Amino acid sequence: MSRNASRIGWVESVIILVLCILALVTAYPFIYVASMSLSDPKAVIELKVWLWPKGFSLEAYSLIFENSRIWVSYYNTIWYTVVGTALNIFLTLTFAYPLSRKDFSARGIFMILLAVTMFFNGGLITNFLLIQKLGLYNTRWAIVLPGAMGAMNVIMARVFFQTSIPDSLTEAAKIDGATDIKILTRIVLPLSLPIISVVAIFSSVGYWNNYFNAMIYLIDKNLQPLQIYLMEVLIQNNVDITSEYSSFSQREELASQLKYCIIMVSIIPIMCFYPILQKYFVKGAMIGALKE
């Protein structure tokens, strides 16, 4: 008995050690970027920072918050995330609820049509021509509408309704004279906060990080999200904020540090939002594992 207990304790210690190492490896890139954004610009360009900040400077952050394009891009990203998430929740729930009802005779046909979208895609050129023909090119709706409803989210919501909302509850409401819309809005939705949270998290993270559609469909810089500006700075090395500095060495130092500051500015909001609702990811994963 004591030998088995010591073996279990040894195994648990190894698991804890491995998890600690994985946590450090995962956290290190974020700590490194945060330290680079707060360090002295000379230490940044000389790559003296490897964990904690070397010196302290907020000049790069000051330049970012004085730049009007950052704020325009920030507003666009928030707009796409809020509007896109609200639309995604509405379409997902109103599409999934009828599919969960056994008395809906056409649910098999709609499930097949939904499943087809998971295996076949029109491709980039077809999607571009579709957006152009619909008159959505270079408008905000070109970012929101293509991702307005995801097949996987609909399946998760349908499974949630089937497993969490008993048929006897909706039947009792019907006997009392409630319509289908009233049952959905007054009974089903208040009991569906976990799946609403899961869809909101998946959708908001997707819209926040989405840059490809904006790169394809938006040519107006006043409509482009923050991720496009981040891509210009990191990949194209286009740091126009430092143009007011006459010293070339100072521009180079700040340009190097600005990349890390912009990364921090772009990820902090979603990092604040994520821990609040992260517990629902577990439920979402469990719901997604069921296929009925």
Side-chain angles (χ1 to χ4, degrees):
M1 182 69 181
S2 60
R3 182 176 297 177
N4 291 335
S6 62
R7 183 178 299 173
I8 292 173
W10 181 81
V11 172
E12 288 179 346
S13 301
V14 172
I15 293 173
I16 292 172
L17 179 63
V18 171
L19 291 177
C20 289
I21 293 173
L22 289 175
L24 289 174
V25 171
T26 305
Y28 177 71
F30 176 76
I31 297 173
Y32 177 77
V33 172
S35 299
M36 291 288 269
S37 70
L38 296 173
S39 298
D40 185 88
K42 289 183 179 179
V44 173
I45 201 168
E46 293 173 359
L47 298 178
K48 292 182 177 178
V49 179
W50 66 274
L51 183 61
W52 303 118
K54 298 287 186 182
F56 182 75
S57 174
L58 294 176
E59 189 174 1
Y61 279 107
S62 176
L63 284 175
I64 288 175
F65 292 123
E66 289 174 358
N67 184 270
S68 61
R69 191 179 169 195
I70 287 283
W71 291 111
V72 171
S73 302
Y74 232 118
Y75 169 77
N76 292 334
T77 298
I78 293 172
W79 193 94
Y80 297 136
T81 303
V82 173
V83 176
T85 301
L87 189 62
N88 200 312
I89 292 173
F90 174 77
L91 293 178
T92 299
L93 297 181
T94 53
F95 194 86
Y97 178 67
L99 296 180
S100 68
R101 303 295 306 157
K102 294 178 181 177
D103 53 351
F104 182 45
S105 58
R107 66 175 185 162
I109 298 174
F110 282 102
M111 277 305 299
I112 293 173
L113 294 175
L114 184 70
V116 167
T117 65
M118 299 175 68
F119 298 102
F120 300 99
N121 188 296
L124 178 61
I125 296 176
T126 309
N127 288 333
F128 181 82
L129 293 175
L130 178 64
I131 293 294
Q132 200 173 36
K133 292 292 183 184
L134 291 175
L136 301 176
Y137 182 71
N138 203 29
T139 67
R140 294 186 186 278
W141 298 107
I143 306 301
V144 173
L145 291 183
M149 190 179 74
M152 186 56 68
N153 288 346
V154 172
I155 293 174
M156 284 196 304
R158 169 180 166 266
V159 173
F160 179 86
F161 291 142
Q162 287 178 332
T163 56
S164 303
I165 309 296
D167 292 338
S168 57
L169 186 62
T170 57
E171 289 170 359
K174 275 194 173 181
I175 292 173
D176 291 338
T179 62
D180 289 329
I181 295 178
K182 188 172 289 186
I183 292 173
L184 176 63
T185 55
R186 300 284 182 86
I187 298 175
V188 175
L189 292 185
L191 298 174
S192 306
L193 291 181
I195 192 61
I196 293 174
S197 301
V198 170
V199 174
I201 291 172
F202 287 163
S203 177
S204 58
V205 172
Y207 278 111
W208 188 272
N209 293 326
N210 182 22
Y211 72 94
F212 187 75
N213 286 350
M215 191 171 60
I216 299 298
Y217 301 134
L218 296 180
I219 56 174
D220 187 352
K221 291 187 180 297
N222 292 322
L223 298 177
Q224 291 176 347
L226 184 64
Q227 284 68 28
I228 292 293
Y229 188 72
L230 184 64
M231 185 187 67
E232 290 180 2
V233 172
L234 295 181
I235 299 177
Q236 301 175 4
N237 203 25
N238 180 19
V239 187
D240 54 354
I241 304 177
T242 60
S243 57
E244 62 184 55
Y245 288 84
S246 57
S247 170
F248 177 77
S249 61
Q250 194 174 14
R251 286 203 304 270
E252 286 293 305
E253 292 171 356
L254 284 173
S256 180
Q257 191 178 25
L258 276 169
K259 298 176 182 177
Y260 300 99
C261 295
I262 294 175
I263 292 174
M264 292 300 300
V265 169
S266 65
I267 64 174
I268 284 177
I270 203 69
M271 288 185 63
C272 296
F273 175 69
Y274 185 84
I276 298 173
L277 300 175
Q278 66 162 346
K279 60 181 179 182
Y280 293 116
F281 269 103
V282 178
K283 293 182 180 179
M286 293 175 64
I287 294 169
L290 299 174
K291 304 290 186 299
E292 296 184 358

